[in-house]
Amino acid sequence: MVIDCHGHYTTAPKEVQAFRDAQVAGSDTGAQLKAALAISDDRIRESVQPQLAFQSARGTDVTVFSPRASSMAHHVGDATANRQWARLCNDLVYRVCRLFPTQFVGVCQLPQSVGGSPADCIGELERCVNELAFIGCNLNPDPSGGHWTAPPLTDRAWYPLYEKLVELDVPAMVHVSASCNPNFHATGAHYLNADTTAFMQFLLGDLFRDFPALRVVIPHGGGAVPYHWGRYRGLAQDLKRPPLTDLMRDNVFFDTCVYHSPGIELLLKVVPVDNILFASEMVGAVKGIDPETGHYFDDTKRYVDGVAWMGGADKAKIFESNARRVYPRINSRLPS
Amino acid sequence: MVIDCHGHYTTAPKEVQAFRDAQVAGSDTGAQLKAALAISDDRIRESVQPQLAFQSARGTDVTVFSPRASSMAHHVGDATANRQWARLCNDLVYRVCRLFPTQFVGVCQLPQSVGGSPADCIGELERCVNELAFIGCNLNPDPSGGHWTAPPLTDRAWYPLYEKLVELDVPAMVHVSASCNPNFHATGAHYLNADTTAFMQFLLGDLFRDFPALRVVIPHGGGAVPYHWGRYRGLAQDLKRPPLTDLMRDNVFFDTCVYHSPGIELLLKVVPVDNILFASEMVGAVKGIDPETGHYFDDTKRYVDGVAWMGGADKAKIFESNARRVYPRINSRLPS
């Protein structure tokens, strides 16, 4: 079985974003909300056909599916608006998962906001896990959208949320949203910077001593970290921090959203195989076909399949069993 | 010949930083300035012995040498203070270069500041190039130290500085300094994020159409870019921007400050060989010995030497001729 642990609902019907646009504009949102809630099952089915076609063509059985990351835009609304927005987006993902129960499992958007408390997110997290059968959440380390005004992820301000994640036995994927800082292109800089930043915060802090059962997924192949694996090993040593393999073992996982063979080769070579989860983030950041290969850039399964020196047992960890370990609630949803 | 294009004077006598500390504290700096200016030639010679020993042991002939990057701290002082600070640091590097003319060539720190104009830097740049025989500068894309309040490097606000760089025929290395944002560890996050950010800015903008002769070096192996080469190729294609090889050809260069063999292998595999400059950034970010190899993490020459599939002619480009092309003023300082 192949589990893609990182997909966003980027093809949602346009009424969804129309609601958010009205909300952000400060308009009366009654009509837009009504339109978004009235989206029919047929239109939901239709909207995920591109995703399903890719899954089928590439051999992915199930996608761990969450609302569009760039649309979370926690920097745009206040706590109340973002709670309503998260709820709407999560409910849409739930509908996808209910219509295609063997092909999608849900992960939720959190109602974060600038200056808001992580504790504000607990209600929506509980609702999604307990009532909608979601198996994880996306946690934005920078709700300011590129100004980085929140405390580091190792700060105690985040602890109430981590306590709930541990209690529910669900992981968080560290995932920023759109950037309102003109220095940072979202998918070309902000996303990767956040991944790199989060890893270094974990390296410096004692978060997993305080939460030994907390699991975090750093997407996009761990940002810059595997490429600079020697730098991080050396920094950990110079700073008298634990070796990277100890830091990561039960707590930190990288996905395989790296869109070329040499990058995937490097990832699989340096990062422990138990800490790598298969993912493609499609339909997502890069949509085109690579003229050098004739295949989609984000068809990451091809790159993993092509790593000749790694055996089938290790690849089965990457494709399936690591995801079952990191997202244990997926097991009740899938054949064993 | 082996040219290391990225070294900082991290072992400067303590009087140098003592001056800056007094300046930042708002104290009268007369005594500290006097002490810094009174540093003897013998103490300068002594201070670079660790660097010279490494160069000798590793087989590096000459280092392109600049003031300590983390101490630039453009976010700390105002324009006047930072001009005095840059001048002092650059003069110290000049003294090193004069004492060891075959082993060091200077690159200058610019007197940037938060909210300052890039045009403010022109005087010190001209002084360093014309009077001190420096061959380039370090340009900080984020003088705010992790708040990213300056415009992107492709913004016209930077153009007066670029005009002067082209006129003087010297390149800029894009290099941030210390971080005052608790989210960003300097060498473990801020440096690499800045490299990644700058590349994406260049990808999106038309800077090199306006300045076809401008050359920029992105250090630390280009941040996350080579690891995510497929992502960037795909983004360039989706955004209808030129292919990466065209973007980089005469204008954008990555150094080899990547501290493990698999990372260097990847860099040399995906990035055009004409756009890679040898560098180690020693004595610098990572000081220890890798227990897996028994050699220093930052002994990057070993990694390049170890790439068996690359021939001597291409390696000579990385070790020497590319640097002579990017930093043409080095040629009058070295045997041809």
Side-chain angles (χ1 to χ4, degrees):
Chain A
M1 172 172 289
V2 175
I3 301 170
D4 182 334
C5 82
H6 187 181
H8 301 294
Y9 191 13
T10 56
T11 57
K14 64 182 187 331
E15 288 87 342
V16 181
Q17 190 61 43
F19 164 78
R20 177 63 163 177
D21 293 343
Q23 191 197 46
V24 168
S27 314
D28 175 64
T29 55
Q32 281 79 12
L33 184 58
K34 196 172 163 191
L37 295 174
I39 295 167
S40 68
D41 281 356
D42 277 350
R43 290 200 49 228
I44 301 262
R45 282 191 195 93
E46 183 191 355
S47 73
V48 293
Q49 290 309 312
Q51 175 88 27
L52 288 170
F54 281 129
Q55 290 187 202
S56 171
R58 300 178 186 183
T60 306
D61 295 292
V62 58
T63 293
V64 177
F65 207 52
S66 60
R68 184 181 198 122
S70 61
S71 302
M72 298 191 298
H74 296 117
H75 58 283
V76 170
D78 62 14
T80 304
N82 289 354
R83 188 157 53 241
Q84 190 183 22
W85 175 229
R87 195 174 171 104
L88 178 67
C89 292
N90 291 330
D91 284 348
L92 263 287
V93 166
Y94 173 63
R95 292 183 63 191
V96 172
C97 298
R98 209 181 40 179
L99 290 168
F100 300 95
T102 63
Q103 287 144 313
F104 293 103
V105 183
V107 151
C108 68
Q109 169 178 333
L110 295 174
Q112 299 178 248
S113 60
V114 179
S117 163
D120 297 344
C121 301
I122 289 176
E124 180 63 5
L125 175 66
E126 286 189 307
R127 185 184 79 91
C128 289
V129 174
N130 291 329
E131 299 175 26
L132 310 186
F134 281 22
I135 63 169
C137 70
N138 290 331
L139 174 61
N140 185 345
D142 173 29
S144 74
H147 293 290
W148 290 91
T149 54
L153 290 173
T154 47
D155 191 279
R156 288 182 171 268
W158 297 98
Y159 276 26
L161 182 59
Y162 299 151
E163 286 165 9
K164 186 55 66 175
L165 290 170
V166 169
E167 179 194 319
L168 295 171
D169 201 15
V170 296
M173 176 175 279
V174 177
H175 205 307
V176 287
S177 183
S179 158
C180 62
N181 186 323
N183 280 287
F184 303 130
H185 185 270
T187 53
H190 191 42
Y191 282 23
L192 304 177
N193 291 351
D195 304 332
T196 307
T197 298
F199 185 82
M200 190 64 197
Q201 292 176 1
F202 297 142
L203 188 157
L204 291 170
D206 289 313
L207 181 59
F208 305 111
R209 187 191 60 192
D210 291 347
F211 293 98
L214 179 64
R215 299 179 301 282
V216 294
V217 181
I218 299 184
H220 321 108
V225 175
Y227 177 47
H228 289 283
W229 196 244
R231 171 177 287 254
Y232 288 98
R233 287 202 295 114
L235 284 171
Q237 181 173 290
D238 286 357
L239 297 167
K240 308 200 186 314
R241 300 296 305 165
L244 303 188
T245 46
D246 291 352
L247 166 67
M248 293 185 72
R249 184 165 290 115
D250 298 317
N251 303 107
V252 182
F253 303 84
F254 293 166
D255 78 12
T256 65
C257 293
V258 177
Y259 296 157
H260 63 147
S261 281
I264 290 287
E265 286 267 358
L266 175 75
L267 170 66
L268 271 52
K269 193 176 294 176
V270 302
V271 175
V273 67
D274 292 332
N275 297 82
I276 302 173
L277 307 183
F278 173 70
S280 68
E281 199 176 8
M282 59 95 173
V283 182
V286 175
K287 295 188 176 62
I289 290 175
D290 185 347
E292 292 183 9
T293 66
H295 294 274
Y296 284 94
F297 280 106
D298 65 2
D299 185 357
T300 54
K301 183 162 179 297
R302 288 186 65 253
Y303 309 135
V304 177
D305 286 340
V307 176
W309 50 263
M310 181 174 275
D314 278 346
K315 287 188 184 174
K317 289 182 172 183
I318 293 173
F319 285 130
E320 179 180 355
S321 59
N322 291 343
R324 288 180 181 269
R325 186 161 47 93
V326 174
Y327 298 84
R329 284 177 179 258
I330 204 171
N331 291 309
S332 63
R333 305 284 304 279
L334 304 177
S336 58
Chain B
M1 172 170 289
V2 175
I3 301 170
D4 183 335
C5 80
H6 187 181
H8 300 295
Y9 191 13
T10 56
T11 56
K14 64 182 187 330
E15 288 87 341
V16 181
Q17 189 62 43
F19 164 78
R20 178 63 163 177
D21 293 344
Q23 191 197 45
V24 168
S27 312
D28 176 65
T29 55
Q32 281 80 11
L33 184 60
K34 195 173 164 191
L37 295 174
I39 295 167
S40 68
D41 281 355
D42 278 349
R43 291 200 50 227
I44 301 261
R45 282 191 196 93
E46 182 191 354
S47 72
V48 293
Q49 289 310 311
Q51 174 89 26
L52 288 171
F54 282 129
Q55 289 188 199
S56 171
R58 299 177 186 184
T60 306
D61 296 290
V62 58
T63 294
V64 177
F65 206 53
S66 60
R68 185 182 196 121
S70 62
S71 302
M72 298 190 299
H74 296 117
H75 58 283
V76 170
D78 62 14
T80 304
N82 289 353
R83 187 157 53 241
Q84 190 182 21
W85 175 230
R87 196 176 171 103
L88 178 67
C89 292
N90 291 330
D91 285 347
L92 263 288
V93 166
Y94 173 64
R95 293 183 62 190
V96 173
C97 297
R98 209 182 40 179
L99 290 169
F100 300 95
T102 62
Q103 286 143 314
F104 293 104
V105 183
V107 150
C108 68
Q109 169 178 334
L110 295 174
Q112 298 179 251
S113 60
V114 179
S117 162
D120 297 344
C121 300
I122 289 176
E124 180 63 5
L125 175 66
E126 285 189 308
R127 185 182 79 90
C128 289
V129 174
N130 291 330
E131 299 175 27
L132 310 187
F134 281 23
I135 63 168
C137 69
N138 290 332
L139 174 61
N140 185 346
D142 173 28
S144 73
H147 292 290
W148 291 91
T149 54
L153 290 173
T154 47
D155 191 279
R156 288 182 170 270
W158 297 98
Y159 277 25
L161 183 59
Y162 299 151
E163 286 165 9
K164 186 55 65 177
L165 291 169
V166 169
E167 179 194 319
L168 295 171
D169 201 16
V170 296
M173 176 175 279
V174 177
H175 205 307
V176 288
S177 183
S179 159
C180 63
N181 185 324
N183 280 287
F184 304 130
H185 185 270
T187 53
H190 191 42
Y191 283 23
L192 303 178
N193 291 351
D195 305 332
T196 308
T197 298
F199 185 83
M200 190 64 197
Q201 292 176 1
F202 297 142
L203 188 156
L204 291 169
D206 289 313
L207 180 59
F208 305 111
R209 186 192 60 191
D210 291 347
F211 294 98
L214 179 64
R215 298 178 302 280
V216 295
V217 181
I218 299 182
H220 320 108
V225 175
Y227 177 47
H228 289 284
W229 196 245
R231 169 177 289 253
Y232 288 98
R233 288 202 296 113
L235 284 171
Q237 181 172 289
D238 287 357
L239 297 166
K240 308 199 185 314
R241 300 295 306 165
L244 303 188
T245 46
D246 291 352
L247 166 67
M248 294 185 71
R249 184 166 291 114
D250 297 317
N251 304 106
V252 182
F253 303 85
F254 293 166
D255 78 12
T256 65
C257 292
V258 177
Y259 296 156
H260 63 146
S261 281
I264 290 286
E265 287 266 358
L266 175 75
L267 170 67
L268 271 50
K269 193 176 294 176
V270 302
V271 175
V273 68
D274 291 332
N275 297 83
I276 302 172
L277 307 183
F278 173 70
S280 68
E281 199 175 8
M282 60 95 172
V283 183
V286 175
K287 297 188 176 60
I289 290 175
D290 185 348
E292 293 183 8
T293 66
H295 295 274
Y296 285 95
F297 281 107
D298 65 3
D299 185 358
T300 54
K301 183 160 179 296
R302 289 185 64 255
Y303 309 136
V304 177
D305 286 340
V307 176
W309 50 264
M310 180 174 274
D314 278 345
K315 287 188 184 172
K317 290 182 173 183
I318 293 173
F319 283 131
E320 178 179 356
S321 59
N322 291 343
R324 288 181 181 268
R325 186 160 47 92
V326 174
Y327 297 83
R329 284 176 178 260
I330 205 172
N331 291 309
S332 64
R333 304 284 306 278
L334 303 178
S336 57

